[in-house]
């Protein structure tokens, strides 16, 4: 059988590294990325999250939702107040942020309406 296309040219040994030192650079970059994006089990075992702004574990869901709703309402009010003193281009941005806050507040209010309130267990 006659072949109509020629054989592909022999490729030289190609490498993505321009010079010998760049291979070490890429290995170091891979180690750094693995350190941050793929921590090993030993790293995870000794990681202790900060407790500076931790919500108390015993809080009930309804109280947390009420607090979130009140915080969102205050944030909406503050952004509305700030928008009154800002010029037009920035005012639109502040009012857009206020709208996002209001939508979050509506969602939290809906969850509060749907939540089944169970009385907390008596403490002994």
């Amino acid at each position: 059988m006659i072949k109509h296309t020629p054989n592909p040219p022999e490729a030289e040994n190609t490498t993505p590294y321009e010079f010998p030192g760049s291979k070490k650079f890429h290995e170091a970059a891979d180690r750094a990325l693995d350190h941050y994006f793929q921590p090993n089990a030993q790293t995870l075992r000794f990681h202790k999250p900060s407790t500076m702004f931790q919500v108390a574990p015993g809080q009930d869901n309804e109280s947390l939702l009420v607090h979130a709703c009140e915080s969102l309402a205050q944030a909406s009010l503050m952004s509305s107040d700030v928008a009154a003193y800002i010029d037009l281009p920035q005012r639109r941005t502040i009012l857009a942020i206020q709208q996002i806050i209001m939508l979050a507040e509506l969602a939290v209010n809906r969850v509060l309406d749907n939540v089944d309130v169970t009385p907390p267990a008596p403490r002994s």
Side-chain angles (χ1 to χ4, degrees):
M1 182 166 162
I2 299 174
K3 194 172 181 182
H4 296 288
T5 58
N7 289 334
E10 293 293 324
E12 294 180 20
N13 186 10
T14 59
T15 177
Y17 310 113
E18 295 178 16
F19 55 92
S22 66
K23 184 173 183 178
K24 290 182 182 180
F25 172 75
H26 284 282
E27 289 172 353
D30 288 340
R31 281 193 310 274
L33 290 172
D34 288 345
H35 173 75
Y36 288 106
F37 295 117
Q38 296 178 353
N40 60 17
Q42 184 178 8
T43 305
L44 291 176
R45 187 177 61 208
F46 293 114
H47 176 70
K48 292 186 173 107
S50 173
T51 58
M52 183 180 291
F53 300 108
Q54 183 178 14
V55 175
Q59 293 293 319
D60 60 305
N61 290 337
E62 185 183 18
S63 297
L64 293 170
L65 286 170
V66 167
H67 182 73
C69 184
E70 290 174 359
S71 297
L72 288 168
Q74 290 301 318
S76 177
L77 183 65
M78 288 186 290
S79 62
S80 177
D81 289 346
V82 168
Y85 298 105
I86 305 275
D87 291 331
L88 190 61
Q90 290 81 17
R91 181 181 303 149
R92 289 183 181 143
T93 302
I94 297 291
L95 291 175
I97 292 170
Q98 182 195 20
Q99 184 176 13
I100 293 169
I101 293 169
M102 288 173 57
L103 291 172
E105 183 183 2
L106 285 171
V108 171
N109 273 324
R110 179 56 56 122
V111 171
L112 275 172
D113 291 341
N114 294 339
V115 72
D116 186 21
V117 180
T118 56
R123 295 187 179 192
S124 354

